[in-house]
Amino acid sequence: MSARHVKVLIIGSGPAGYTAAIYTARAMLEPVLIAGMEQGGQLMITTDVENYPGYADPVQGPWMMEQMLKQASHVGAEIVNDLVTNVDLDVRPFRVSTDSGTEWTADALIIATGAKAKWLGIETEHKFMGFGVSACATCDGFFYRNKDVIVVGGGNSAVEEALYLSNLAKTVTVVHRRDSFRAERILQERLFAKENVKIVWDHEVVEYLGADPKPPMPASVNGVKLRNVKTGETRDMVTDGVFVAIGHAPAVELFKDKLRLKPNGYLWTAPDSTATDVPGVFAAGDVTDDIYRQAVTAAGMGCMAALETEKYLAGHMPVAIAAE
């Protein structure tokens, strides 16, 4: 077991974490970023990225995250491939334990552990993820202009995704395992008014259908197998893409009962700030952002967290006051 002390410790390696590392390194704070099990975050399972500023042509998500890692390293951030197993926020400096046995202490902590889209968990899902199966319409909807797509889900996320896609796709079919939506009534009314949207009630997707990969061609979805949850009958439906919209789960397991959470489970931060309810602890990206969940907004919040961390360490950061 070894012990190390740093001024700034960053947990998480998506756009928020890497941007925080870049800014704190340039501020000469010598940050250490602990990358975690899934280095690069959700962009590692994204193929073409076309909505991140600065690239004239689409770029691959994994390549973009590799560039962010190299940039963070280039300006002086230390990247550690390890997994955080416990944090103690009741002491100063903060204490962080990792899977390798290293005990870290830090004067400030930036949490950028992200969030994961909830998936259906069916056998063929992983094969087609990024190749016709997506969890982000605003990320990938552009590639389905004038095509037929399916949205899976029945809450606000699903209806909002379907509304967005209805302006791009030829047709949108919403598949929901119940006979009514849980989404807000006003969203439902807007969806029902769309002429190119249809609803398949009481059904669930049990299999993705498509061609197996044949290098250099990747796998690609061309349909789904649906099952009626009441009768058990199955049928195939042709589609060009499937958007799974059954919610997101922020990676907050390490911080439950240690930091304030929003009612939906995301980390709480003070208004217009990345400060949590523990002074010196900041949160950026999808672990706290339950609205936008975009790479560019995560990077922006990483910048905010770094600047606020710098002010905190300089003694100029006000203590976050919990909202009533």
Side-chain angles (χ1 to χ4, degrees):
M1 182 178 293
S2 60
R4 285 187 59 185
H5 177 77
V6 294
K7 297 175 185 176
V8 179
L9 193 65
I10 302 167
I11 304 176
S13 56
Y18 284 139
T19 304
I22 291 166
Y23 273 79
T24 50
R26 284 173 53 82
M28 308 304 291
L29 295 178
E30 301 174 332
V32 170
L33 182 150
I34 300 178
M37 289 289 291
E38 298 179 357
Q39 186 166 322
Q42 293 187 73
L43 280 174
M44 297 302 289
I45 59 171
T46 302
T47 50
D48 289 343
V49 177
E50 205 169 40
N51 57 358
Y52 196 92
Y55 302 104
D57 299 313
V59 297
Q60 297 292 299
W63 178 86
M64 192 169 79
M65 297 317 301
E66 180 184 358
Q67 295 303 302
M68 288 191 186
L69 184 155
K70 290 181 177 179
Q71 184 178 2
S73 299
H74 175 74
V75 296
E78 180 181 349
I79 312 298
V80 176
N81 293 316
D82 207 345
L83 177 68
V84 174
T85 56
N86 188 58
V87 296
D88 186 349
L89 307 181
D90 294 326
V91 296
R92 296 293 189 279
F94 303 117
R95 294 178 183 174
V96 176
S97 304
T98 59
D99 189 58
S100 67
T102 305
E103 295 292 327
W104 299 84
T105 55
D107 298 322
L109 198 63
I110 297 177
I111 300 168
T113 48
K116 291 183 180 180
K118 295 179 181 178
W119 298 95
L120 299 178
I122 56 182
E123 186 176 351
T124 52
E125 197 158 49
H126 183 75
K127 179 172 74 171
F128 293 111
M129 202 175 292
F131 299 101
V133 176
S134 173
C136 181
T138 52
C139 305
D140 300 326
F142 181 79
F143 303 109
Y144 295 90
R145 289 171 297 170
N146 300 316
K147 294 185 177 182
D148 301 311
V149 299
I150 287 173
V151 175
V152 182
N156 280 353
S157 295
V159 175
E160 288 171 351
E161 296 274 89
L163 284 168
Y164 178 84
L165 290 166
S166 69
N167 296 317
L168 298 171
K170 179 182 178 182
T171 66
V172 179
T173 301
V174 182
V175 176
H176 186 37
R177 65 189 326 272
R178 296 181 175 85
D179 58 4
S180 62
F181 287 135
R182 303 183 308 277
E184 296 174 9
R185 177 60 60 182
I186 189 171
L187 293 176
Q188 295 188 44
E189 291 176 354
R190 290 173 183 169
L191 188 69
F192 295 147
K194 293 284 186 176
E195 294 183 356
N196 64 335
V197 173
K198 63 179 180 179
I199 317 297
V200 177
W201 303 109
D202 298 321
H203 279 73
E204 60 184 356
V205 174
V206 294
E207 186 180 353
Y208 298 107
L209 307 174
D212 289 332
K214 294 180 180 180
M217 297 301 293
S220 59
V221 161
N222 57 30
V224 297
K225 184 177 291 294
L226 300 178
R227 179 171 61 198
N228 188 306
V229 297
K230 293 182 177 179
T231 67
E233 295 180 358
T234 62
R235 62 186 175 95
D236 294 347
M237 176 179 287
V238 175
T239 189
D240 297 305
V242 182
F243 290 84
V244 179
I246 56 175
H248 288 74
V252 297
E253 292 79 9
L254 288 169
F255 313 105
K256 289 180 178 178
D257 302 321
K258 299 176 182 179
L259 290 172
R260 179 180 173 183
L261 303 180
K262 300 177 184 178
N264 59 5
Y266 287 73
L267 286 183
W268 177 90
T269 54
D272 302 317
S273 171
T274 63
T276 69
D277 62 327
V278 174
V281 180
F282 304 88
D286 286 8
V287 73
T288 183
D289 177 12
D290 56 339
I291 300 175
Y292 303 106
R293 293 193 294 263
Q294 299 295 304
V296 67
T297 51
M301 294 180 73
C303 168
M304 292 169 58
L307 296 177
E308 290 184 299
T309 296
E310 183 181 3
K311 290 181 180 180
Y312 170 81
L313 293 175
H316 303 308
M317 185 70 192
V319 176
I321 304 299
E324 293 296 333

